Amino acid sequence: MYAIVKIGGHQYKVAEDQTLFVNRLPEAEGKVTFEDVLLVKDGKGNLKIGQPTVEGAKVEASIVDHLKSDKVIVFKKKRRKGYRVKNGHRQPITQIKIDKIS
């Protein structure tokens, strides 16, 4: 069984007991429910596609941790001008574990 869920403006294909990293969620650690389910496929092969969402479907997850992703180096240079700037950026992310798709 899997579902396609909209979390924080992005679409993710999720299955039960899956762990994934999403953009930082405002909720504290604990349980969270996602109502924007775009597609659900159960184990029997039944496929439900929402227009735009599947009515009555929801994905329950638990927030494991709030972290930062790997550092991305931003290097800017203009040749022959002596201009060099090096910046780094770490995107805030949230680790969630999918508990139940209903």
Side-chain angles (χ1 to χ4, degrees):
M1 176 177 224
Y2 71 89
I4 295 180
V5 182
K6 188 174 182 181
I7 303 172
H10 296 280
Q11 296 176 6
Y12 297 95
K13 179 181 177 182
V14 298
E16 291 183 2
D17 298 326
Q18 179 183 3
T19 302
L20 69 145
F21 296 97
V22 298
N23 283 342
R24 178 67 58 96
L25 299 175
E27 291 88 3
E29 293 183 10
K31 300 286 185 182
V32 65
T33 303
F34 301 110
E35 302 285 336
D36 294 336
V37 180
L38 305 175
L39 179 140
V40 175
K41 183 173 183 184
D42 61 4
K44 300 175 186 132
N46 297 331
L47 184 69
K48 294 180 184 174
I49 300 173
Q51 296 181 5
T53 60
V54 178
E55 290 186 24
K58 60 183 174 180
V59 174
E60 297 176 7
S62 57
I63 296 177
V64 178
D65 198 11
H66 293 291
L67 338 148
K68 288 185 177 182
S69 63
D70 295 335
K71 183 174 276 195
V72 177
I73 302 296
V74 179
F75 185 75
K76 298 179 181 179
K77 179 182 176 183
K78 294 186 179 176
R79 61 186 196 157
R80 296 188 300 269
K81 306 293 184 223
Y83 173 77
R84 297 187 305 172
V85 175
K86 180 179 177 182
N87 287 322
H89 176 72
R90 294 182 70 185
Q91 185 73 23
I93 59 174
T94 300
Q95 181 181 5
I96 63 172
K97 182 177 185 291
I98 305 299
D99 296 329
K100 182 178 167 187
I101 299 173
S102 59

